[in-house]
Amino acid sequence: MSVSFPGFEAKTFSTDSEDGSIDISYLIGGNGPPLLLLHGFPQTKAIWSQVAPELARNFTVVAADLRGYGASSKPHGKIDHSTYSKRSMAADQHALMKSLGFNQFFLLGHDRGGRVSHRLAMDFPESVLRLMVLDVSPTLTMYENTTMQFAKGYWHWFFLIQPEPVPETLIGANPEFWLKNHMGRHAGTGIFSPDRWSEYLAGASNPEGMHAMCEDYRAAATTDLIHDRSDRAAGKMLKMPLKVLWGEHGLVNQCFKPLEDWGAVARDVSGKSVPSGHYIPEEIPDVLLAEVRKFFG
């Protein structure tokens, strides 16, 4: 049973793609300007359970599962990993918002959702009015500036991109062990409510889901870099206001300079560190709510 939010409706949207028909599971609720929320790895739209109901007081909130995650479709990845390119994943979400009648909207993405949001805003700049990303620097920047400290801390970036079925098989042997050791590094797993933890574990325990998550990372190390380098070579920049928040106890804060990093791809960047680790929506929901209301309000 998926995590639900009070006052929200659970729905499914189907869109055609080069990978066949894709079902996107989402929750929608509230009134006001449209705001799309995109989660990170290895999670689902459930990450927003502490903030979405409050945001629904001022916004029409759409919290969606990315392709490959939660209750959304999990097609097997193609050999070039394009099935899980951020371009493909972003197109799903853009089509979802258009189907709801939202030709323009606000966009907030955490972790992998931040990377999908970056691509969505780059590919559909007329649709994204304002963009906020949580605890990420651009993918290309992070790969090109990999250090020993980053590789040790974000070792999953280099493990999950190994050829199929190596990481899928190893994680599949004990998904709960993997999840606890991956997600409990700073604040511990106690920040995740039992229903949310159960949903995340279900995703990691699903062979199709785990394959999709690996493909998300394989795409990030291959086709996504091609798209990002193409943008930079062409001088393409995000023009909408972009705000980045990152956890002061997280590795992004230790290894990167998010304001400077995003300044290389966006013209109007603001942001700051916040008192948390990586999982900002679940560690400090009240702080995030205040920042979201200020930026999108």
Side-chain angles (χ1 to χ4, degrees):
M1 187 71 179
S2 295
V3 174
S4 60
F5 307 161
F8 280 64
E9 291 183 85
K11 296 188 175 185
T12 301
F13 163 71
S14 295
T15 183
D16 293 329
S17 77
E18 293 182 357
D19 304 287
S21 180
I22 301 294
D23 291 340
I24 297 297
S25 174
Y26 68 99
L27 293 167
I28 183 168
N31 291 286
L35 170 61
L36 174 61
L37 308 179
L38 298 179
H39 65 86
F41 165 90
Q43 299 172 281
T44 69
K45 58 185 177 295
I47 72 166
W48 308 110
S49 64
Q50 296 177 91
V51 298
E54 289 299 316
L55 290 175
R57 298 174 185 270
N58 305 105
F59 303 92
T60 299
V61 178
V62 179
D65 283 334
L66 297 170
R67 175 191 296 209
Y69 291 80
S72 290
S73 292
K74 303 168 180 64
H76 199 86
K78 292 177 181 174
I79 193 167
D80 65 354
H81 314 300
S82 61
T83 304
Y84 291 93
S85 71
K86 303 310 152 293
R87 175 158 285 159
S88 296
M89 297 169 83
D92 296 341
Q93 302 299 329
H94 182 256
L96 165 62
M97 295 303 279
K98 286 201 73 172
S99 77
L100 295 171
F102 302 136
N103 292 320
Q104 293 186 308
F105 50 89
F106 298 135
L107 180 57
L108 167 57
H110 172 256
D111 185 71
R112 310 309 291 179
R115 304 188 189 286
V116 174
S117 297
H118 175 196
R119 178 47 55 194
L120 198 165
M122 191 66 82
D123 287 357
F124 305 98
E126 73 286 348
S127 294
V128 180
L129 297 173
R130 283 177 169 258
L131 170 63
M132 180 183 286
V133 295
L134 305 179
D135 211 55
V136 289
S137 279
T139 305
L140 178 59
T141 302
M142 293 177 73
Y143 268 122
E144 288 187 339
N145 292 278
T146 294
T147 61
M148 178 66 80
Q149 182 183 16
F150 175 66
K152 286 172 65 178
Y154 267 29
W155 61 272
H156 64 287
W157 272 43
F158 307 94
F159 169 61
L160 296 174
I161 66 175
Q162 298 306 308
E164 178 189 0
V166 174
E168 290 96 329
T169 301
L170 295 175
I171 293 171
N174 195 333
E176 189 167 14
F177 176 83
W178 153 260
L179 209 62
K180 285 181 177 178
N181 282 275
H182 176 75
M183 298 183 73
R185 287 177 287 180
H186 167 67
T189 58
I191 64 170
F192 309 115
S193 63
D195 59 343
R196 279 182 279 133
W197 181 258
S198 178
E199 186 161 320
Y200 304 155
L201 179 57
S205 302
N206 178 342
E208 292 179 344
M210 200 62 242
H211 167 72
M213 290 187 243
C214 291
E215 284 295 302
D216 176 3
Y217 281 82
R218 291 175 183 133
T222 54
T223 185
D224 290 347
L225 297 183
I226 294 172
H227 297 157
D228 290 345
R229 288 188 174 113
S230 177
D231 287 341
R232 296 203 191 188
K236 289 182 66 176
M237 299 278 283
L238 297 174
K239 297 178 182 178
M240 73 288 294
L242 182 155
K243 185 163 190 174
V244 54
L245 303 177
W246 63 96
E248 65 179 68
H249 304 297
L251 205 64
V252 169
N253 187 50
Q254 297 171 32
C255 296
F256 300 97
K257 299 177 180 178
L259 289 179
E260 182 179 314
D261 298 343
W262 283 105
V265 300
R267 293 180 179 172
D268 182 0
V269 181
S270 62
K272 62 182 181 181
S273 66
V274 290
S276 75
H278 177 61
Y279 300 103
I280 293 172
E282 292 167 294
E283 292 182 49
I284 51 169
D286 290 342
V287 173
L288 178 58
L289 278 168
E291 293 294 335
V292 169
R293 288 175 176 139
K294 189 189 314 179
F295 182 64
F296 294 119

